[in-house]
């Protein structure tokens, strides 16, 4: 069956460290993968999109990698800040489904 | 910065009643979506809308659900006869010109069916 899995455990890190979040998928061939941030009671906010032919994408302190062989994406936040504390969601678009499929998200807490 | 707006922020209704959730997508966006999220669970796709018709819908989006873009700005989701299991946060989203890419979400409508 098709699955998307993100770190099920909440991630607690110290301010200034790099946070690394994982998104694994099975039985999909996604055209691209996206990462969103979600704060409690709010809608997801788009962060980064990476396509199947791209290995890495960066935006300011954010970096995403995409390994279609491992069926995995890693999301990094460098020099993390308490304001980065939120739930981070990965979402796949598999063109034949023509819809976004979402992971459950990983809760990140950055401690001052 | 332009944003997707949703009203109301909270809606309480009795089982069997009809509800209409309203959204104003970003004005130059071409694709519109409804998603829902039950507390602690995944974001679930309901429907996408493009060029004044449904582009894709999920198995959740049965005959009880409908969407409409009655004018150039509003995008509505109607649930004809609500069930207890329809209780969730409903998010409207829009994207510029590619289906499923870089979605902008509203703040959601929390629907409680009693």
């Amino acid at each position: 069956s098709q699955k998307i899995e993100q770190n099920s455990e909440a991630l607690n890190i110290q301010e200034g460290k790099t946070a690394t979040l994982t998104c694994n998928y099975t039985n999909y061939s996604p055209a691209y993968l996206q990462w969103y941030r979600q704060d409690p009671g709010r809608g997801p906010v788009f962060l980064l999109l990476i396509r199947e032919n791209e290995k890495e994408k960066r935006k300011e302190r954010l970096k995403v990698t995409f390994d279609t062989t491992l069926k995995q994406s890693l999301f990094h936040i460098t020099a993390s800040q308490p304001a980065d504390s939120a739930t981070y969601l990965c979402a796949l678009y598999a063109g034949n489904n023509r819809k976004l499929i979402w992971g459950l998200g990983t809760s990140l807490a950055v401690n001052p | 910065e332009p944003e997707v707006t949703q009203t109301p922020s909270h809606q309480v209704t009795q089982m069997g009643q009809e509800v209409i959730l309203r959204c104003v997508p970003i004005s130059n966006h071409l694709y519109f979506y409804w998603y829902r999220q039950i507390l602690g669970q995944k974001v679930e796709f309901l429907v996408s809308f493009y060029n004044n018709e449904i582009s894709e819908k999920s198995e959740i989006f049965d005959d009880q659900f409908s969407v409409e873009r009655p004018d150039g700005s509003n995008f509505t989701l109607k649930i004809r006869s609500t069930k207890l299991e329809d209780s969730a946060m409903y998010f409207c989203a829009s994207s510029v010109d590619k289906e499923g890419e870089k979605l902008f979400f509203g703040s959601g409508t929390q629907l409680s069916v009693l």
Side-chain angles (χ1 to χ4, degrees):
Chain A
S1 64
Q2 297 174 316
K3 276 198 293 189
I4 301 175
E5 290 181 343
Q6 298 187 242
N7 313 56
S8 55
E9 305 277 327
L11 194 59
N12 276 272
I13 63 167
Q14 209 59 36
E15 183 175 6
K17 300 291 187 189
T18 296
T20 298
L21 286 65
T22 306
C23 178
N24 294 299
Y25 59 93
T26 55
N27 296 322
Y28 283 110
S29 295
Y32 51 83
L33 185 148
Q34 304 176 65
W35 284 88
Y36 289 77
R37 168 186 173 138
Q38 187 174 29
D39 291 285
R42 310 285 294 179
V45 175
F46 171 77
L47 297 174
L48 281 168
L49 180 151
I50 186 162
R51 301 191 186 280
E52 59 182 335
N53 60 347
E54 297 174 317
K55 296 284 186 208
E56 185 179 294
K57 208 76 167 285
R58 290 176 188 260
K59 178 182 170 186
E60 297 169 357
R61 294 184 296 111
L62 308 180
K63 184 177 89 170
V64 172
T65 62
F66 193 13
D67 188 325
T68 55
T69 303
L70 288 179
K71 296 188 183 297
Q72 181 181 77
S73 175
L74 298 179
F75 177 78
H76 306 271
I77 306 174
T78 57
S80 58
Q81 304 164 359
D84 295 326
S85 299
T87 296
Y88 291 85
L89 309 173
C90 74
L92 294 183
Y93 184 83
N96 55 339
N97 284 330
R98 294 177 60 198
K99 59 187 180 184
L100 279 180
I101 311 296
W102 297 77
L104 187 54
T106 299
S107 175
L108 172 68
V110 181
N111 306 306
Chain B
E1 188 174 321
E3 58 181 23
V4 176
T5 56
Q6 288 187 245
T7 55
S9 56
H10 292 85
Q11 174 89 50
V12 180
T13 190
Q14 295 291 325
M15 193 169 57
Q17 294 295 303
E18 174 184 287
V19 294
I20 297 176
L21 309 184
R22 301 181 192 279
C23 171
V24 179
I26 295 173
S27 62
N28 63 333
H29 285 193
L30 299 180
Y31 286 89
F32 314 116
Y33 314 84
W34 285 99
Y35 285 83
R36 76 176 187 189
Q37 187 176 32
I38 295 167
L39 189 63
Q41 296 188 24
K42 295 183 180 185
V43 174
E44 296 178 291
F45 170 79
L46 294 178
V47 66
S48 58
F49 194 85
Y50 171 73
N51 203 24
N52 283 319
E53 60 182 26
I54 290 175
S55 174
E56 187 69 37
K57 60 183 181 178
S58 72
E59 52 280 359
I60 301 169
F61 194 89
D62 61 21
D63 291 344
Q64 292 302 310
F65 290 85
S66 62
V67 289
E68 205 174 48
R69 186 155 163 83
D71 52 42
S73 58
N74 291 287
F75 181 51
T76 61
L77 174 70
K78 183 194 288 188
I79 309 175
R80 262 180 269 284
S81 177
T82 49
K83 304 193 265 289
L84 295 176
E85 53 265 36
D86 293 328
S87 296
M89 180 74 97
Y90 286 79
F91 292 110
C92 173
S94 64
S95 60
V96 178
D97 57 5
K98 296 263 176 58
E99 188 170 29
E101 279 195 29
K102 301 178 188 177
L103 272 59
F104 288 75
F105 282 80
S107 291
T109 295
Q110 180 64 56
L111 177 65
S112 299
V113 182
L114 306 178

